Amino acid sequence: MPTVRGRVWDRASGRPLEARVSVQASTGLFCAPADATLKVGPGDPFFYCDGTFAVEVLRGATDIVVERGTEYRPLRLTLILPANGAIDVDLPLERWISLPEQGWYAGNTHVHYDEKETRPLDRLRLDPRVEDLPVLVVSVLNRGRLQYASNAFPIGRHPISTHDHVVDIGEESRHNDETWRIGLGHIMLINIPQVVEPISRGLLVDEASPDYPPLVDACAETRAKGGLVLWCHNGNGMEAPIAAALGRLDGINLFDPYWMDPEYDVWYRLLNCGFQLPASTGSDWYLCSSNRVYVDVGTSFTYEAWLDGLRDGRTFVTDGPVLTLTVAGYPPSNGWLDVGAAIRAVPLSVDWNYATPIDRIEIIRDGAVAATFDNADGAIAGSFSLDVDIEGVGWLAARCWGHRRNSYGHALWAHTSPVYLRRQSNPAIVRESAQYFVERIAEAQSWLTTRARFDDDAQRNRMLELFAAGRTSYERLAR
């Protein structure tokens, strides 16, 4: 059988590159080295390589695809192989963009390895490099007796970290009220010095564990220790509006996990109520998507600077397309844009860029589409500007969509964090959003009263008091 020996390198610098590689034999069979770490997730199969690889294939036409992150152009090559012998092939990769040179650094803030992973340290070393992620957050979690491979990693900055690739071991603190239904919710605790107990509560621990303590306790403890709290699974969970109302959240993970339909309703409504929640994202089970959050760090990358930028809302989330927004010259952040009461309209600009075309860019104003640009010409980069009527507007953001799919089989998307113009939106929009949470909290109160399990009345009463206080804050907004 013939053997393909490949060398992957950066055309600009000449240095070797870790990458994911797909080798398809003439019969259509996916071929990989016997000891290779394989890509996890949907779409086309790939194996990881650390710069070189050798793989046995079959004679005839062999297709090779090499990818690294989202800022390098995929390389595609077809070889005609003889019946025997070895073929050496150079596989230079080229960037179509270098966002770090512009001050933007990518991260994935939600990753776990399951109990079937046999080489977690090998995967941990390759994952951030293959996906070109300066920041990778892998979290411990607790679900019954399952021994997740990533739970063996020590909390905090992992020793495998380098200046260019920081690996932080955090925690997913969580609660479900049924086996696969999110109950109180799931939160990501990042940059923590030790585990925040309990990791889970309720039936995720065992049938006798109470639905207590509230997740907001973990939020408060994390932030007191200098950590950062992200609500994951796009705001689902009974405690999400409570945590937002108490000011216990630093952001929210969108498109997380990848198998959920894209939806922004909960996030938009929380923003309408006046809560500042920057956008982040992750892939959840393994690096099974290209999801990443880009943070504007400026001229010098450190993990501390990256966390500060995420807290401050200087972010956009994407699975590839680059999308940036300015309103009156200001990019997204948690600062309030002082436009003055007499100003009726402000200039807004959007820039997009990707290796392949996206199809539509939308301007979001207080949760509704205010303007649309269809990329009918199929441009891979472009910009547009318009004046936006801001009377009564609380926040503005941009998002984009694409019908083409990446090698994970996912459609293209991106979303910026908001630019905040006022502390609240139009009163009618605030009332509608707040009433939505009043009704959700009422359902949660019913569950806490009739179905939740507690060790004593003190636990139940504290939870009911917490949810009653949250409900009161939204009722006030709804009025």
Side-chain angles (χ1 to χ4, degrees), residues 157-333:
R157 202 78 53 89
H158 196 281
I160 209 169
S161 298
T162 66
H163 176 269
D164 296 324
H165 297 285
V166 176
V167 177
D168 182 20
I169 309 302
E171 172 186 341
E172 181 175 358
S173 187
R174 52 193 281 152
H175 173 271
N176 289 39
D177 67 350
E178 293 180 7
T179 303
W180 293 111
R181 193 173 77 176
I182 296 175
L184 297 176
H186 299 182
I187 51 176
M188 307 305 303
L189 312 180
I190 295 172
N191 195 40
I192 52 177
Q194 65 265 339
V195 166
V196 176
E197 297 288 359
I199 296 178
S200 290
R201 60 275 286 151
L203 58 77
L204 288 173
V205 179
D206 57 50
E207 291 294 332
S209 179
D211 299 308
Y212 188 88
L215 291 169
V216 294
D217 287 1
C219 297
E221 182 177 345
T222 297
R223 299 178 84 190
K225 294 177 178 178
L228 182 145
V229 180
L230 299 174
W231 200 279
C232 58
H233 306 297
N234 201 14
N236 288 310
M238 291 183 280
E239 254 192 89
I242 307 300
L246 291 175
R248 300 282 176 86
L249 303 180
D250 295 297
I252 188 166
N253 268 17
L254 303 170
F255 285 83
D256 176 12
Y258 74 89
W259 59 82
M260 295 177 67
D261 289 336
E263 66 93 356
Y264 302 111
D265 289 348
V266 173
W267 184 42
Y268 289 170
R269 285 188 167 108
L270 288 171
L271 295 176
N272 288 343
C273 289
F275 306 122
Q276 293 179 312
L277 292 171
S280 183
T281 193
S283 52
D284 201 351
W285 286 110
Y286 293 82
L287 287 188
C288 56
S289 72
S290 293
N291 290 6
R292 59 200 58 221
V293 52
Y294 277 96
V295 177
D296 183 4
V297 172
T299 58
S300 181
F301 169 75
T302 65
Y303 188 39
E304 290 72 22
W306 192 89
L307 292 171
D308 288 343
L310 178 53
R311 284 191 187 94
D312 192 44
R314 304 193 304 269
T315 74
F316 69 91
V317 293
T318 182
D319 70 347
V322 175
L323 186 69
T324 58
L325 165 76
T326 60
V327 178
Y330 290 89
S333 80

Side-chain angles (χ1 to χ4, degrees), residues 175 177 184 209-212 238 444-455 460 463-464:
H175 173 271
D177 67 350
L184 297 176
S209 179
D211 299 308
Y212 188 88
M238 291 183 280
Q445 289 173 308
S446 175
W447 180 82
L448 291 168
T449 302
T450 61
R451 295 173 56 197
R453 298 169 302 178
F454 298 100
D455 288 337
R460 186 186 302 274
M463 292 293 283
L464 288 172

Side-chain angles (χ1 to χ4, degrees), residues 104 296 312-314 324-340 346-351 396-398 416-421:
W104 292 95
D296 183 4
D312 192 44
R314 304 193 304 269
T324 58
L325 165 76
T326 60
V327 178
Y330 290 89
S333 80
N334 282 356
W336 303 99
L337 181 60
D338 185 8
V339 294
V346 294
L348 179 151
S349 296
V350 174
D351 292 271
L396 293 162
T416 72
S417 282
V419 174
Y420 300 95
L421 283 80

Side-chain angles (χ1 to χ4, degrees), residues 413-458:
W413 62 272
H415 205 304
T416 72
S417 282
V419 174
Y420 300 95
L421 283 80
R422 295 178 176 85
R423 294 188 180 275
Q424 287 183 356
S425 304
N426 180 287
I429 294 174
V430 175
R431 285 195 294 271
E432 185 277 332
S433 296
Q435 184 60 36
Y436 171 83
F437 291 115
V438 169
E439 294 170 3
R440 282 193 62 172
I441 294 172
E443 294 172 0
Q445 289 173 308
S446 175
W447 180 82
L448 291 168
T449 302
T450 61
R451 295 173 56 197
R453 298 169 302 178
F454 298 100
D455 288 337
D456 51 46
D457 288 341

